[in-house]
Amino acid sequence: MNNNQFDMNDTVQIDQWIQNTINNAQSSDLIVPASVAVSRIYDKTKQLMETIVDYKELMMMYACAMKEINTKFDVLNTEFKARYQRNPINSVSTRLKKTASIAEKLAKKNAPFSLEGIRQHIHDVAGIRVVCSYIDDIYTLADALIGQDDITLIEKKDYILSPKPNGYRSLHLIVSVPVFFSDQKRNMEVEVQIRTIAMDFWASLDHQLKYKQNVPNQQEITDKLKHCADVIHQTDITMQNLRHQIEDMADVPTEDDILVEKLSRLDIAIG
C-alpha cells in the first residue's frame, strides 16, 4: 500500500492495513500508514474522553435532581414541625447509582451503555430514601410530593399493600423534577423510597445477608426473614394505632389554645 492508495478517511481501509501489518509484519509497510493509525487512535481516544465528560455531566444532573427532591422533603418536614409540632421524617439519605451497577442493569435489558440508553432504560440512577415513624406518614409525604405542580409521577409501586415475596415493604415512586442549570432546564428522574424505621431496619439486614456466600439452610433463613418482616409490619400497625389512640384521648383545645399553640410552634420551627 502506497501514498496514493491510502485514504485517511476510509476506516475500512485503515482497519485492513492494520490487519495486514499484523499478518505480514513487513517493516516497509509501516513508513507512511503508521501516522494514519496513530491519528485514528487519537480520534478514538478523543471521542472516548468526550463521552466520559458527557457521562460525568449527566451524573451531575442526576445529583442536582436529588438535591431538588431532598429540599422538598426538608420543607415538608419543617412545615409539619410548625403546624403539628412533630417531624414525620426520621432521616433522609441519597445515593447515585455506580457506573458498574448502571452497566450491569443495561446489560440485563440488552441495551447499549450510552447516555441515551441510561436515560431510556435506567430510572433509578438518582435515588432518595425517606424514613418515617409511622405508616400513614409515608402516604402523607408521598401525596404532598406528588401534589406539587412541578413534580410528575412516572411510576408508583406500593410494596406496603403488596409486599414482595420475601417480606420487603416500602413505597417506591419514580418522579420527574425540573432542574434549572445556567444554560438550560432539564427534567430529571429520581427514584423515591419511603418506608418506616422498622421497614428500613429489616431491609438493611436483608440486604447484608444477601451478600453472604455459601450459607447453609438458605430456605430456613429465608422463611425466618419473612416471618420477621411480618412481625415488624404488625408492630408498625400497632404503634400507629397507639398514636391515634393517644391523639383521640387528648383534650379538645379552644380557639385561643390553638392560636397560642400555633405561635409557639412557629417559633420552634423557625428557630
Side-chain angles (χ1 to χ4, degrees), residues 189-203:
E189 292 183 356
V190 178
E191 182 193 48
V192 179
Q193 297 180 2
I194 315 178
R195 59 181 66 155
T196 65
I197 299 171
M199 293 175 192
D200 189 59
F201 165 75
W202 182 92

Side-chain angles (χ1 to χ4, degrees), residues 6-22:
F6 203 89
D7 183 359
M8 291 184 63
N9 296 318
D10 190 339
T11 57
V12 175
Q13 192 178 79
I14 294 174
D15 286 339
Q16 186 61 53
W17 171 82
I18 293 173
Q19 188 60 50
N20 288 340
T21 301
I22 294 172

Side-chain angles (χ1 to χ4, degrees), residues 143-162:
D143 291 342
L145 176 69
I146 297 170
Q148 298 184 19
D149 57 13
D150 60 343
I151 292 291
T152 301
L153 177 64
I154 297 174
E155 185 179 68
K156 178 179 180 179
K157 292 182 179 179
D158 192 336
Y159 294 116
I160 300 172
L161 292 177
S162 301

Side-chain angles (χ1 to χ4, degrees), residues 23-258:
N23 293 337
N24 300 326
Q26 296 294 322
S27 59
S28 59
D29 291 333
L30 300 175
I31 297 174
V32 175
S35 61
V36 179
V38 170
S39 175
R40 186 180 179 207
I41 291 172
Y42 171 79
D43 290 341
K44 291 293 184 182
T45 302
K46 182 180 177 183
Q47 181 182 359
L48 176 61
M49 292 178 67
E50 289 173 348
T51 301
I52 292 173
V53 170
D54 291 340
Y55 173 77
K56 290 291 187 181
E57 183 171 329
L58 180 62
M59 292 301 105
M60 176 272 295
M61 291 180 176
Y62 278 118
C64 291
M66 286 192 305
K67 291 182 179 180
E68 292 282 351
I69 300 297
N70 196 2
T71 299
K72 289 180 178 294
F73 279 116
D74 186 49
V75 169
L76 289 172
N77 205 36
T78 302
E79 177 192 356
F80 266 74
K81 184 177 181 180
R83 290 187 174 182
Y84 310 112
Q85 206 169 358
R86 77 178 189 88
N87 298 101
I89 297 176
N90 182 267
S91 65
V92 177
S93 58
T94 60
R95 71 101 182 93
L96 203 60
K97 210 171 190 66
K98 294 182 179 179
T99 304
S101 298
I102 293 174
E104 182 180 359
K105 199 163 188 177
L106 286 171
K108 289 180 179 178
K109 294 175 177 288
N110 293 320
F113 188 93
S114 64
L115 302 186
E116 190 61 29
I118 293 171
R119 294 191 192 99
Q120 287 187 2
H121 300 285
I122 310 294
H123 305 290
D124 62 343
V125 174
I128 182 166
R129 180 176 301 152
V130 181
V131 179
C132 304
S133 298
Y134 302 99
I135 296 174
D136 54 3
D137 287 337
I138 295 174
Y139 296 104
T140 298
L141 288 169
D143 291 342
L145 176 69
I146 297 170
Q148 298 184 19
D149 57 13
D150 60 343
I151 292 291
T152 301
L153 177 64
I154 297 174
E155 185 179 68
K156 178 179 180 179
K157 292 182 179 179
D158 192 336
Y159 294 116
I160 300 172
L161 292 177
S162 301
K164 290 185 178 182
N166 67 342
Y168 174 85
R169 287 176 170 85
S170 184
L171 181 66
H172 289 200
L173 308 172
I174 302 293
V175 299
S176 175
V177 60
V179 183
F180 293 84
F181 300 100
S182 61
D183 59 345
Q184 61 178 311
K185 180 185 81 171
R186 291 286 295 271
N187 291 314
M188 305 298 298
E189 292 183 356
V190 178
E191 182 193 48
V192 179
Q193 297 180 2
I194 315 178
R195 59 181 66 155
T196 65
I197 299 171
M199 293 175 192
D200 189 59
F201 165 75
W202 182 92
S204 297
L205 293 181
D206 179 68
H207 180 74
Q208 291 177 20
L209 291 172
K210 281 181 179 178
Y211 288 92
K212 301 294 183 182
Q213 301 296 323
N214 301 319
V215 179
N217 304 321
Q218 186 69 44
Q219 187 58 51
E220 180 183 351
I221 293 174
T222 300
D223 293 341
K224 287 182 177 180
L225 279 171
K226 173 63 168 60
H227 174 69
C228 287
D230 294 338
V231 171
I232 286 174
H233 179 62
Q234 189 57 51
T235 301
D236 264 337
I237 294 175
T238 301
M239 294 298 293
Q240 179 172 275
N241 291 337
L242 284 172
R243 191 196 95 208
H244 290 164
Q245 183 180 346
I246 293 171
E247 290 174 346
D248 292 341
M249 291 172 60
D251 294 334
V252 179
T254 65
E255 291 185 3
D256 290 341
D257 291 336
I258 294 173

